[in-house]
């Protein structure tokens, strides 16, 4: 590891792969399609895309600029830039949010492991009807043991990589696997679109029906944009802190954001055509992807092998995201509390696994977790909404206020342009960070509290 015990990416390509590894994960392939399905399709997708462009990219750049300048975890970064103020709590919220997301994300990641196993044993490749597929899914997630064991396995994998440190662990895993995933997704999208009735799914995704828009849909789109880009909790501050001063950071940030969004759209182009082709309801909730995908494998030549490769890569994509979630929390304990990396990774991994238990058991195994405190949604869904939508959106809002009004755009630009590469359209960046993002996100959050449409 370079520079005084802190890791550094081996270069721009290393950073892009690692940051894309963080951004690309279950958020794109699991969360995006089912959230789009729950929120009526096209209109949600359009608002999501708008948020990626006008809020997502400016926030990516803001977080990266803080990270590269301070070379610290989120809490340390705010302490350094605004000493003696309460801004450090924003970093603290980010660390907490990373913990909160990891605790339910690892449950879903555990499901992917089970599907990988199912593909290896031939259970998944041979599924042809939606009912059969749904039965397999329900049996898997509603058990009392399997979801817990799978969550534990996934958490252990994450801890093992994070323990190893930045350049050795994270980079190596992403270099070959991300591009392979991309190629497989393209093949699957082509197969899915050309299924009988497939074009209906494309239309569902891309022809917006604005009567479906509501404040809930808009928040879901905002939360999804932040979640998918790993924003609003300091993951990009942390990853930016390992970015060498000699490389073009703005360009790398924009590439990561566009790459991530492209993958989400590809996932949509896989799920929705297949869904219309086999007659599954788009509003199927978190199980949507798991139920729909097997029907595509059955339609591909060597589908069984393809399924194995796909679930393997999906698990890896999830792993490169859980690594970044754990890394934020670990970096905090290492930088601020002086813990050894090993100890931090293991302790936090265990604590997070314990907090993941109620989510793992909320899919039917334990009644009061399944309809949590009369909310009508599962404990897992609630965590997803609290951390994934509210906390990340609030985090992004405060971050924009910090960069736009406290630290200042000129300082952010100095950091972003440290390598001498200019940020194109810096006036646009400034306008978004100072005005558009805070006002837009602020209005959404206030409106939700006012109308009490929390989920
Ligand atoms: N962006 C990741 C995904 O889409 C999830 C994530 C969110 C990772 C926030 C880090 C921080 O799967």
């Amino acid at each position: 590891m370079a520079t005084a015990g802190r890791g550094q990416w081996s270069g721009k390509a290393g950073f892009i792969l690692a940051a894309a590894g963080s951004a690309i994960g279950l958020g794109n392939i699991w969360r995006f399609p089912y959230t789009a399905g729950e929120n009526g399709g096209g209109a949600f997708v359009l608002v999501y895309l708008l948020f990626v462009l006008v809020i997502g990219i400016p926030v990516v750049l803001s977080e990266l600029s803080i990270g590269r300048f301070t070379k610290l975890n989120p809490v340390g970064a705010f302490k350094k830039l605004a000493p003696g103020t309460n801004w450090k709590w924003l970093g603290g919220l980010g660390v907490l949010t990373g913990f909160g997301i990891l605790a339910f994300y690892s449950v879903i990641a555990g499901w992917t492991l089970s599907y990988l196993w199912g593909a290896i044993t031939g259970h998944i490749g041979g599924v042809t009807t939606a009912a059969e597929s749904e039965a397999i899914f329900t049996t898997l997630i509603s058990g009392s043991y399997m979801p817990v064991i799978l969550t534990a396995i996934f958490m252990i994998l994450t801890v093992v990589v994070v323990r190893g440190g930045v350049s050795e662990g994270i980079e190596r895993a992403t270099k070959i696997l991300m591009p392979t995933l991309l190629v497989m997704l393209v093949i699957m999208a082509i197969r899915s679109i050309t299924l009988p009735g497939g074009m209906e799914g494309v239309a569902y995704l891309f022809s917006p029906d604005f009567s479906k828009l509501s404040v809930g849909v808009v928040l879901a789109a905002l939360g999804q944009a932040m979640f998918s880009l790993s924003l609003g909790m300091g993951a990009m501050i942390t990853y930016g802190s390992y970015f060498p001063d000699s490389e073009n950071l703005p360009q790398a940030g924009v590439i990561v954001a566009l790459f991530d969004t492209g993958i989400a759209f590809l996932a949509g182009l896989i799920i929705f055509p297949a869904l219309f082709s086999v007659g599954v309801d788009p509003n199927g909730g978190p199980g949507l992807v798991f139920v729909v995908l097997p029907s595509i494998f059955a339609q591909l030549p060597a589908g069984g092998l393809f399924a194995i490769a796909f679930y393997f890569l999906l698990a890896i994509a999830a792993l490169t995201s859980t690594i970044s979630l754990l890394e934020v929390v670990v970096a905090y304990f290492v930088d601020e509390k002086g813990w050894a990396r090993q100890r931090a990774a293991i302790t936090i991994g265990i604590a997070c696994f314990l907090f993941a238990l109620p989510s793992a058991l909320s899919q039917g195994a334990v009644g009061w977790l399944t309809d949590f405190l009369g909310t009508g949604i599962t404990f897992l869904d609630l965590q997803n909404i609290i951390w994934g939508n509210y906390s990340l959106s609030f985090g992004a809002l405060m971050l924009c206020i910090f960069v736009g009004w406290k630290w200042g755009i000129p300082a952010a630009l100095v950091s972003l342009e440290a390598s001498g590469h200019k940020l194109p359209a810096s006036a646009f960046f400034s306008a978004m960070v100072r005005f558009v993002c805070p006002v837009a996100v602020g209005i959404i959050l206030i409106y939700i509290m006012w109308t009490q449409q929390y989920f």
Side-chain angles (χ1 to χ4, degrees), residues 22-28 101 105 227-231 233 235 260 321 324-325 392:
S22 165
I24 297 167
L26 298 172
N28 311 60
I101 293 179
Y105 198 98
F227 189 93
S228 191
L229 294 169
S230 303
L231 296 179
M233 51 154 275
D260 179 73
S321 300
S324 70
L325 289 161
L392 294 184

Side-chain angles (χ1 to χ4, degrees), residues 27-327:
N28 311 60
I29 293 163
W30 160 72
R31 201 180 193 267
F32 172 73
Y34 98 76
T35 310
E38 277 184 343
N39 289 288
F44 166 90
V45 172
L46 194 69
V47 178
Y48 162 76
L49 184 62
L50 188 77
F51 282 151
V52 167
L53 298 176
V54 301
I55 300 182
I57 290 181
V59 174
V60 168
L61 296 175
S62 301
E63 284 203 23
L64 291 177
S65 69
I66 293 178
R68 181 200 246 180
F69 184 81
T70 59
K71 307 240 178 322
L72 285 170
N73 67 88
V75 176
F78 287 110
K79 275 192 190 160
K80 178 163 171 180
L81 295 178
T85 67
N86 281 323
W87 282 102
K88 61 174 182 288
W89 294 106
L90 180 57
L93 178 68
V95 172
L96 190 69
T97 305
F99 186 86
I101 293 179
L102 181 58
F104 75 82
Y105 198 98
S106 55
V107 174
I108 316 288
W111 299 355
T112 68
L113 289 183
S114 162
Y115 271 72
L116 172 59
W117 181 245
I120 293 171
T121 55
H123 270 74
I124 299 298
V127 175
T128 45
T129 68
E132 209 181 326
S133 187
E134 233 153 280
I136 292 180
F137 178 68
T138 312
T139 317
L140 162 73
I141 63 164
S142 61
S144 306
Y145 299 106
M146 269 330 256
V148 172
I149 295 169
L150 293 168
T151 305
I153 295 176
F154 211 88
M155 197 67 85
I156 292 169
L157 291 174
T158 309
V159 167
V160 167
V161 180
V162 170
R163 242 184 50 180
V166 171
S167 38
E168 296 101 290
I170 304 178
E171 259 193 82
R172 218 176 356 172
T174 20
K175 267 199 174 120
I176 327 152
L177 298 170
M178 282 296 130
T180 318
L181 178 65
L182 179 66
V183 172
M184 291 195 68
L185 290 174
V186 171
I187 297 174
M188 286 168 76
I190 294 173
R191 174 67 276 214
S192 186
I193 294 168
T194 53
L195 288 172
M199 283 316 282
E200 240 180 286
V202 179
Y204 181 81
L205 205 56
F206 292 122
S207 43
D209 169 1
F210 289 109
S211 68
K212 298 252 167 69
L213 278 187
S214 68
V215 62
V217 172
V218 172
L219 174 75
L222 176 68
Q224 179 57 29
M226 299 301 110
F227 189 93
S228 191
L229 294 169
S230 303
L231 296 179
M233 51 154 275
M236 289 298 150
I237 294 182
T238 308
Y239 272 33
S241 76
Y242 308 117
F243 197 84
D245 280 340
S246 54
E247 301 282 349
N248 185 344
L249 186 59
Q251 186 196 51
V254 173
I255 290 177
V256 169
L258 296 180
F259 194 14
D260 179 73
T261 310
I263 299 276
F265 277 91
L266 264 179
L269 285 173
I270 294 170
I271 302 299
F272 288 99
L275 173 153
F276 279 93
S277 158
V278 288
V280 172
D281 181 5
N283 192 2
L288 187 66
V289 177
F290 291 94
V291 172
V292 173
L293 281 178
S295 65
I296 303 175
F297 299 125
Q299 305 271 350
L300 278 169
L305 284 179
F306 203 93
I308 297 175
F310 175 81
Y311 287 113
F312 173 72
L313 290 170
L314 184 58
I316 297 290
L319 184 63
T320 53
S321 300
T322 54
I323 289 166
S324 70
L325 289 161
L326 184 59
E327 176 63 26

Side-chain angles (χ1 to χ4, degrees), residues 271-433:
I271 302 299
F272 288 99
L275 173 153
F276 279 93
S277 158
V278 288
V280 172
D281 181 5
N283 192 2
L288 187 66
V289 177
F290 291 94
V291 172
V292 173
L293 281 178
S295 65
I296 303 175
F297 299 125
Q299 305 271 350
L300 278 169
L305 284 179
F306 203 93
I308 297 175
F310 175 81
Y311 287 113
F312 173 72
L313 290 170
L314 184 58
I316 297 290
L319 184 63
T320 53
S321 300
T322 54
I323 289 166
S324 70
L325 289 161
L326 184 59
E327 176 63 26
V328 170
V329 191
V330 166
Y332 165 73
F333 280 95
V334 170
D335 290 348
E336 301 301 307
K337 302 282 168 207
W339 288 22
R341 177 169 272 276
Q342 290 246 2
R343 170 179 166 212
I346 295 172
T347 315
I348 297 156
I350 293 173
C352 198
F353 167 70
L354 294 177
F355 190 52
L357 288 178
S359 285
L361 296 173
S362 71
Q363 303 299 303
V366 178
W368 65 273
L369 291 170
T370 306
D371 174 6
F372 188 62
L373 300 179
T375 49
I377 58 176
T378 69
F379 185 81
L380 190 153
D381 283 335
L382 191 65
Q383 299 302 304
N384 190 358
I385 291 171
I386 291 177
W387 305 112
N389 287 351
Y390 283 100
S391 191
L392 294 184
S393 299
F394 179 74
L397 164 72
M398 295 309 290
L399 187 100
C400 288
I401 295 176
F402 179 80
V403 171
W405 300 95
K406 172 81 186 159
W407 190 37
I409 300 289
L413 285 177
V414 167
S415 167
L416 279 172
E417 296 173 341
S419 62
H421 299 88
K422 291 276 169 251
L423 173 71
S426 55
F428 174 79
F429 170 70
S430 169
M432 292 299 126
V433 173

